[in-house]
């Protein structure tokens, strides 16, 4: 095979190039030719095709994502916002937290174990590249119907992959979600979140300033992993003709990643890194163009110096390889020996492959011949931007008109409660979460099944202050709500994650999101995306929590059938004293049970409509963000004053499920009287901005006053104690029966 | 009774983290001259009848569906002589 050099490209302007096979449109290819003033070499084509893919360039979503910046609320806590590898938030006492959620949907469908495992590895490296020590992960998962044949292949593989990688790395998995819906069959969603800690004066950025500085590639060797994965796997469906070019799956090595984490932390501590970036999708292409574009503008790279696992790799393949566990750093010549010595100590291969220049060009050579010569910004930042057309889906109005009011209401509320409690979406996720290590590192204060994961900040980090603080994290999303109304659905996802953080006693500070949708080329899907981003941006503004980063996953569809629009939202909060965190559910007898918030008759998209009638129609519950903010204020204030002995948010399945889960949590029963006349509405409506709390009888006055001051409705509905959940005049279910129903479902399906 | 051997190896382009770990450990233990190691799995399948073409085809099906993950692994089926 002849080497396609820049000179050859100039000499053979008419040579046909496989841009379409690489997922590039004709006008995009023409634009590359225009930028370069000649045809691209095959290596340049490789770079542009991956960098301009939907996955890397956000070309369809950019115009909508801008709202997260333009509508961002002022936040003193935000240290690094969107655009870097991950956002960074000030958590006090000199500490900062960095967190991000990212999708690994398509690879997890092709090879569930490796796909999910490398999803964890990828997000962990994003967190490392900010200068932080990764301290925990969580995963938001969505699968087809629980009893579907393919779900039995995908779910166990995904869970195994996550637990394998996370457990080997020694990172606790503190929460997340597992949701089943037939719309995700063939398109499972695997969204991985990682959170890290660092000193706030030690943030690292992806930049390559200073001509003469060395460019170092370190970590695993480069092999033919997931070649074309970024553009082919993530940017188009893998049916039909693309089946033939299905790229090899990436395989991760968590032990290498663990070494990389420790090696990076030592490099940061020795202060021998000017800029750093992880290698994810689009590997060397992405790292070199992005580092160069954000630095002094130029970089010379000798591609033949990249250490290879498979010596037969061509330069184009090296550029596109997605081999895992690799990082790229920019190091001054004075520090290079120290840098290499630290890598050697950790047994991490490290190679100088190039140098920063001020020429404004990214130049790559292969055994002395120039094969790439481009302005790096044109690949990294100035990719195509599409204002894709969108319109409301046909049938949306009919869907919204087909409300749940026509559905027959149940007579037997006891049976309804048990049926919901044992349905796959509401059943205990213990079967999944027990495969994850929740407590490794010893800083986990709360983890699944608590509303949010809570971690103590007690890292040993030189120069760091001791602190009593902790951080809380939750992810939420509801595809059915978003299908009915993407604007409200995205707001409800944020509201629930925000509420989940607040019920632990933490103050919500910042947001990350993973936006999972069908094809952006479908105007109806694009409408869902536009509405969801608009809703989320407005809600972030109303709640005062900025979006710090995240990712967009398009093309989650089979044929022309897209998944429900599924914005998954992660919220990070801070609690000043982790000892004051509020435990989940009913924790002691003889406590007053209070219901905070207003209950309306809201059943559109509810679990009851889904489980009892397989119905999806009407409108989702109202997203009342003012009420949500007031509720969070009450919860965090009450927690800091030590008033709360337990808490739980109300969401899917309404009060009935919240009561049942609260009782199951510690095996403490309760007797309650429903506040509304209609027991069914009281128990199963899914109105948002509500929570259950328990208080000692002597604290009741204080919390009632606090609620009144913040205009949060507060009703005492009963008392904890006994061995059963008793709803006066409605039902009585022993704790053991609730627990049995709750925990039996997933093991029965997955073994 | 016959014995059929199924050898399962990661495809050549797939990263073999265990093989690499072994290759790194060998020099530390004093073994020199090894440039690479790849690790695989071997199954010995006892069948009731003779290892004829039909039986081998059946074992191939087993390999395809259970013994190997054909997304990332190759397998070979041989009758033990």
């Amino acid at each position: 095979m002849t080497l396609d050099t820049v000179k050859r490209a100039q000499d053979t302007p008419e040579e046909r190039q496989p841009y379409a096979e690489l997922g590039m449109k004709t006008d995009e290819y023409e634009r590359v030719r225009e930028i370069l003033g000649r045809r691209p070499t095959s290596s340049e084509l490789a770079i542009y095709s991956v960098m301009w893919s939907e996955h890397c360039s956000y070309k369809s979503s950019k115009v909508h994502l801008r709202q997260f910046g333009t509508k961002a609320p002022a936040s003193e806590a935000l240290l690094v916002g969107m655009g870097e590898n991950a956002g960074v938030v000030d958590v006090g006492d000199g500490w900062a937290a960095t967190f991000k959620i990212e999708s690994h949907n398509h690879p997890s469908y092709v090879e569930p174990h490796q796909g999910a495992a490398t999803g964890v590895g990828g997000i962990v490296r994003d967190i490392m590249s900010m200068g932080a020590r990764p301290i925990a992960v969580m995963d938001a998962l969505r699968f087809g119907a629980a009893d579907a044949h393919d779900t039995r292949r995908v779910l166990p593989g995904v869970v195994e992959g996550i637990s394998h990688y996370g457990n080997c790395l020694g990172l606790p998995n503190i929460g997340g979600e597992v949701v089943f819906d037939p719309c995700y069959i063939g398109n499972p969603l695997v969204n991985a979140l990682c959170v890290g800690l660092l000193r706030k004066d030690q943030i690292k950025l992806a930049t390559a300033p200073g001509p003469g500085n060395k460019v170092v590639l370190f970590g695993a060797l480069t092999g033919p992993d997931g070649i074309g994965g970024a553009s082919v796997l993530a940017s188009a469906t893998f049916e039909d003709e693309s089946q033939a070019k299905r790229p090899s799956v990436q395989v991760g090595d968590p032990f290498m990643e663990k070494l990389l984490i420790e090696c990076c932390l030592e490099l940061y501590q020795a202060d021998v890194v000017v800029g750093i970036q992880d290698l994810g999708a689009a590997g060397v292409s992405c790292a070199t163009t992005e580092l160069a574009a954000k630095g002094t503008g130029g970089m010379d790279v000798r591609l033949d110096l990249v250490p290879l696992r498979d010596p037969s790799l061509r330069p184009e393949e090296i550029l596109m390889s997605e081999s895992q566990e690799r990082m790229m750093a920019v190091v001054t010549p004075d520090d290079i020996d120290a840098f290499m010595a630290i890598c050697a100590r950790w047994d991490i291969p490290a190679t100088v492959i190039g140098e920063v220049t001020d020429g404004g060009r990214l130049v790559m050579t292969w055994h002395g011949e120039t094969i790439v010569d481009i302005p790096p910004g044109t690949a990294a930042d100035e990719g195509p931007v599409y204002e894709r057309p969108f319109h409301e889906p046909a049938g949306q109005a009919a869907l919204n008109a087909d409300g749940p009011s026509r559905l027959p209401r149940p007579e037997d509320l006891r049976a309804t409660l048990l049926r919901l409690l044992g349905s796959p979406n509401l059943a205990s996720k213990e079967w999944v979460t027990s495969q994850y290590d929740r407590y490794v590192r010893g800083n986990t204060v709360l983890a699944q099944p608590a509303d949010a994961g809570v971690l103590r900040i007690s890292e040993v980090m030189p120069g760091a202050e001791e602190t009593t603080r902790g951080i809380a994290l939750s992810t939420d999303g509801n595809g059915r709500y978003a299908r009915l109304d993407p604007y409200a659905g995205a707001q409800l996802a944020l509201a629930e994650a925000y509420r989940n953080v607040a019920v632990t006693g933490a103050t919500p500070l910042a947001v990350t999101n993973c936006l999972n949708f069908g094809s952006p080329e479908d105007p109806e899907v694009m409408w869902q995306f536009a509405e969801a981003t608009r809703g989320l941006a407005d809600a972030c503004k109303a709640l005062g929590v900025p979006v710090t980063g995240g990712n967009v996953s398009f093309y989650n569809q089979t044929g022309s059938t897209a998944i429900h629009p599924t914005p998954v939202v992660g919220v990070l909060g801070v609690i000043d004293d982790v000892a004051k965190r509020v435990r989940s559910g009913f924790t002691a007898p003889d406590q007053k049970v209070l219901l905070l918030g207003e209950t309306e008759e809201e059943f559109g998209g509810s679990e009851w409509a889904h489980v009892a009638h397989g119905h999806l129609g009407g409108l989702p519950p109202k997203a009342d963000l003012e009420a949500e903010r007031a509720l969070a204020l009450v919860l965090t204030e009450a927690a800091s004053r030590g008033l709360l002995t337990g808490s739980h948010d109300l969401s899917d399945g309404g009060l009935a499920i919240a009561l049942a889960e609260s009782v199951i949590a510690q095996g403490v029963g309760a007797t309650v009287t429903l506040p509304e006349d209609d027991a069914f509405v009281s128990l199963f409506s899914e109105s948002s901005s509500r929570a259950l709390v328990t208080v000692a009888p002597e604290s009741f006055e204080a919390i009632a006053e606090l609620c009144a001051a913040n205009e949060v409705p507060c009703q005492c509905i009963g008392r904890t104690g006994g061995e059963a959940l008793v709803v006066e005049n409605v039902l009585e279910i022993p704790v053991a029966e609730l627990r049995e129903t709750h925990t039996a479902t997933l093991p029965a399906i997955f073994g | 009774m016959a014995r059929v051997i199924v050898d399962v190896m990661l495809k050549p382009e797939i990263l073999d983290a265990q093989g690499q770990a072994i290759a790194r450990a060998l020099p530390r233990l004093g073994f020199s001259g090894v440039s690479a190691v790849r690790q695989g799995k071997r199954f010995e399948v006892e069948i009731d009848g003779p290892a004829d073409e039909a039986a081998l085809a059946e074992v191939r099906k087993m390999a395809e569906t259970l013994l190997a993950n054909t997304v990332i692994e190759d397998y070979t089926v041989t009758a033990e002589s």
Side-chain angles (χ1 to χ4, degrees), chain A residues 396 399-400 477-493 496 499 564-565 567 602-607 616 618-622 650-654 684-688:
Chain A
Q396 185 75 26
L399 182 73
N400 293 143
N478 188 318
R480 290 200 312 272
Y481 289 169
R483 175 73 182 81
L484 296 179
D485 181 349
Y487 181 87
Q491 299 201 327
L492 288 163
E496 191 184 341
R499 186 162 66 242
H564 290 332
E602 293 178 298
F603 286 99
S606 67
E607 280 298 332
L616 178 61
L619 287 169
K622 188 160 55 53
L650 265 65
S651 54
D652 303 347
F684 296 103
S685 167
E686 296 188 2
S687 297
S688 69

Side-chain angles (χ1 to χ4, degrees), chain A residues 147-370:
Chain A
D147 53 2
H149 181 71
D150 201 46
T151 302
R152 266 177 272 176
R153 171 186 74 96
V154 177
L155 182 142
V158 164
V159 171
E160 217 179 79
I162 291 168
S163 69
H164 167 68
Y165 206 99
N167 293 358
C168 286
L169 273 188
L171 288 179
N173 194 313
I174 57 169
E177 306 160 83
V178 180
V179 176
F180 301 97
D181 191 291
C183 76
Y184 303 113
I185 196 87
N187 293 285
L189 304 186
V190 176
N191 296 174
L193 181 148
C194 181
V195 59
L197 274 180
L198 66 159
R199 278 169 49 191
K200 87 182 214 195
D201 55 355
Q202 301 250 304
I203 298 168
K204 298 288 172 198
L205 298 175
T207 171
N213 284 344
K214 303 293 179 194
V215 178
V216 187
L217 182 62
F218 64 116
L221 306 183
T222 299
D225 299 280
I227 287 180
S231 63
V232 180
L233 261 188
S235 290
T237 55
F238 28 78
E239 272 190 324
D240 312 331
E241 78 282 5
S242 62
Q243 190 70 261
K245 60 175 176 181
R246 176 191 278 186
S248 51
V249 173
Q250 312 107 286
V251 173
D253 178 357
F255 297 111
M256 174 61 99
E257 181 112 330
K258 174 65 177 165
L259 292 177
L260 256 188
I261 293 175
E262 301 305 329
C263 179
C264 282
L265 287 168
E266 194 173 329
L267 292 170
Y268 299 150
Q269 205 184 313
D271 199 16
V272 293
V273 175
V274 179
I276 189 159
Q277 165 122 33
D278 64 303
L279 273 69
V284 173
S285 296
C286 184
T288 52
T289 53
E290 287 190 355
L291 280 171
K294 285 185 189 157
T296 327
M299 195 183 278
D300 279 345
V301 173
R302 277 188 59 190
L303 212 50
D304 49 289
L305 293 181
V306 171
L308 300 179
R309 198 172 81 227
D310 172 355
S312 69
L313 283 191
R314 303 287 306 164
E316 298 85 350
E317 295 173 307
I318 295 170
L319 286 166
M320 294 179 92
S321 164
E322 295 188 350
S323 289
Q324 302 291 300
E325 292 92 23
R326 297 182 298 162
M327 305 279 283
M328 190 172 280
V330 175
V331 185
T332 65
D334 290 344
D335 289 332
I336 198 75
D337 289 340
F339 185 101
M340 292 302 188
I342 291 170
C343 289
R345 198 169 95 74
W346 290 101
D347 225 350
I348 295 279
T351 316
V352 174
I353 62 161
E355 203 170 287
V356 177
T357 67
D358 52 7
R361 309 285 292 185
L362 171 64
V363 178
M364 295 189 185
T365 56
W366 182 256
H367 299 292
E369 304 222 55
T370 303

Side-chain angles (χ1 to χ4, degrees), chain A residues 110-111 114 224-225 246 248-249 251-253 309 325 347, chain B residues 10 12-17 20 24 28 38 69 71-72:
Chain A
V110 175
E111 210 317 286
Q114 298 297 346
D225 299 280
R246 176 191 278 186
S248 51
V249 173
V251 173
D253 178 357
R309 198 172 81 227
E325 292 92 23
D347 225 350
Chain B
L10 283 168
E13 68 271 22
I14 297 284
L15 170 71
D16 176 10
Q20 282 190 348
R24 278 197 302 272
R28 286 201 291 270
R38 287 184 76 77
N69 174 357
V71 178
I72 56 172

Side-chain angles (χ1 to χ4, degrees), chain A residues 410-744:
Chain A
E411 297 291 321
D412 186 345
L413 297 181
R414 185 183 194 276
T416 304
L417 190 158
L418 288 171
R419 184 166 172 207
L420 282 180
L421 189 65
S423 68
N425 282 341
L426 298 177
S428 164
K429 301 304 181 304
E430 188 71 24
W431 187 89
V432 170
T433 55
S434 66
Q435 298 186 47
Y436 305 150
D437 193 332
R438 276 172 272 180
Y439 300 106
V440 61
R441 297 182 64 74
N443 290 326
T444 305
V445 180
L446 293 175
Q448 277 277 51
D451 296 273
V454 175
L455 295 160
R456 188 181 300 118
I457 299 178
S458 73
E459 292 303 317
V460 180
M461 217 172 267
E465 257 183 81
E466 269 195 46
T467 179
T468 58
R469 289 170 192 266
I471 55 174
L473 274 162
S474 176
T475 72
D476 280 290
N478 188 318
R480 290 200 312 272
Y481 289 169
R483 175 73 182 81
L484 296 179
D485 181 349
Y487 181 87
Q491 299 201 327
L492 288 163
L494 171 63
E496 191 184 341
Y498 179 92
R499 186 162 66 242
N500 277 331
V501 164
V503 293
T504 67
T507 303
L509 281 187
V511 170
T512 182
N513 61 60
C514 193
L515 305 171
N516 306 278
F517 288 78
S519 166
E521 294 161 47
D522 178 342
E524 300 190 342
V525 169
M526 209 54 215
W527 177 82
Q528 295 173 331
F529 183 78
E531 284 294 290
T533 43
R534 192 170 66 84
L536 187 55
D538 288 347
C540 286
K541 192 171 181 190
L543 292 176
V545 284
V547 172
T548 61
N551 119 301
V552 177
S553 174
F554 279 131
Y555 298 101
N556 294 289
Q557 64 179 55
T558 307
S560 61
T561 311
I563 60 164
H564 290 332
T566 311
V568 171
V569 180
V571 170
L572 180 139
V574 173
I575 183 163
D576 291 345
D577 182 354
V578 281
K580 292 191 170 164
R581 59 87 186 83
V582 183
R583 288 164 72 201
S584 189
F586 301 151
T587 56
D590 297 322
Q591 305 291 300
K592 279 179 179 288
V593 178
L594 311 183
L595 173 61
L596 309 185
E598 196 94 55
T599 306
E600 312 270 349
E601 184 176 329
E602 293 178 298
F603 286 99
S606 67
E607 280 298 332
W608 170 74
H610 177 68
V611 172
H613 298 283
H615 175 267
L616 178 61
L619 287 169
K622 188 160 55 53
D624 185 344
L625 300 168
E626 278 312 308
E628 207 64 71
R629 197 168 185 163
L631 176 67
L633 276 175
V634 165
L635 289 166
T636 50
E637 171 70 19
S640 74
R641 283 161 57 185
L643 298 176
L644 306 181
T645 55
S647 65
H648 194 26
D649 95 306
L650 265 65
S651 54
D652 303 347
L655 178 62
I657 297 302
L659 283 170
E661 287 175 346
S662 296
V663 162
I664 291 167
Q666 307 292 333
V668 177
T671 301
V672 301
T673 308
L674 295 176
E676 318 282 331
D677 296 338
D678 188 329
F680 170 73
V681 172
S682 287
L683 283 172
F684 296 103
S685 167
E686 296 188 2
S687 297
S688 69
S689 321
R690 295 184 301 160
L692 273 182
V693 297
T694 59
V695 296
E698 62 272 21
S699 305
F700 178 66
E701 284 303 312
I703 185 113
E705 270 170 38
L706 187 58
C707 284
N710 288 284
E711 293 178 24
V712 172
C714 167
Q715 292 166 294
C716 178
I717 59 170
R719 211 176 170 85
T720 61
E723 305 272 302
L725 171 62
V726 181
V727 179
E728 297 278 18
N729 304 321
V730 180
L731 58 81
E732 174 167 351
I733 309 174
V735 175
E737 188 178 352
L738 288 170
R739 179 171 287 134
E740 166 62 21
T741 305
H742 195 47
T743 52

Side-chain angles (χ1 to χ4, degrees), chain A residues 4-256:
Chain A
D4 195 21
T5 60
V6 170
K7 183 169 179 315
R8 192 171 165 274
Q10 277 158 347
D11 295 344
T12 57
E14 296 313 318
E15 186 170 293
R16 198 202 153 277
Q17 295 194 278
Y19 63 87
E21 289 81 345
L22 290 167
M24 248 185 167
K25 301 274 190 276
T26 305
D27 54 334
E28 293 171 352
Y29 175 70
E30 288 304 328
R31 210 174 129 215
V32 172
R33 292 188 70 122
E34 207 175 295
I35 288 168
L36 299 177
R38 58 174 162 80
R39 80 159 171 88
T41 65
S42 53
S43 297
E44 289 166 342
L45 186 62
I47 293 177
Y48 281 104
S49 73
V50 288
M51 291 306 291
W52 286 9
S53 70
E54 188 66 60
H55 185 74
C56 293
S57 73
Y58 293 84
K59 57 190 171 191
S60 303
S61 53
K62 230 177 201 166
V63 293
H64 300 284
L65 297 178
R66 286 195 186 119
Q67 296 171 81
F68 294 145
T70 56
K71 292 182 185 170
S75 163
E76 283 171 12
L78 189 63
L79 298 174
V80 175
M82 286 191 307
E84 280 292 335
N85 286 313
V88 185
V89 181
D90 189 343
V91 294
D93 295 340
W95 289 90
T98 174
F99 73 125
K100 188 181 178 186
I101 189 165
E102 206 166 68
S103 64
H104 225 222
N105 302 342
H106 294 256
S108 302
Y109 175 69
V110 175
E111 210 317 286
H113 180 112
Q114 298 297 346
T118 51
V120 176
I123 194 66
V124 166
R125 283 192 299 284
D126 269 328
I127 295 309
M128 281 158 62
S129 65
M130 298 307 295
R133 173 182 280 286
I135 55 165
V137 293
M138 49 207 290
D139 293 272
L141 309 176
R142 281 166 178 76
F143 303 100
D147 53 2
H149 181 71
D150 201 46
T151 302
R152 266 177 272 176
R153 171 186 74 96
V154 177
L155 182 142
V158 164
V159 171
E160 217 179 79
I162 291 168
S163 69
H164 167 68
Y165 206 99
N167 293 358
C168 286
L169 273 188
L171 288 179
N173 194 313
I174 57 169
E177 306 160 83
V178 180
V179 176
F180 301 97
D181 191 291
C183 76
Y184 303 113
I185 196 87
N187 293 285
L189 304 186
V190 176
N191 296 174
L193 181 148
C194 181
V195 59
L197 274 180
L198 66 159
R199 278 169 49 191
K200 87 182 214 195
D201 55 355
Q202 301 250 304
I203 298 168
K204 298 288 172 198
L205 298 175
T207 171
N213 284 344
K214 303 293 179 194
V215 178
V216 187
L217 182 62
F218 64 116
L221 306 183
T222 299
D225 299 280
I227 287 180
S231 63
V232 180
L233 261 188
S235 290
T237 55
F238 28 78
E239 272 190 324
D240 312 331
E241 78 282 5
S242 62
Q243 190 70 261
K245 60 175 176 181
R246 176 191 278 186
S248 51
V249 173
Q250 312 107 286
V251 173
D253 178 357
F255 297 111
M256 174 61 99

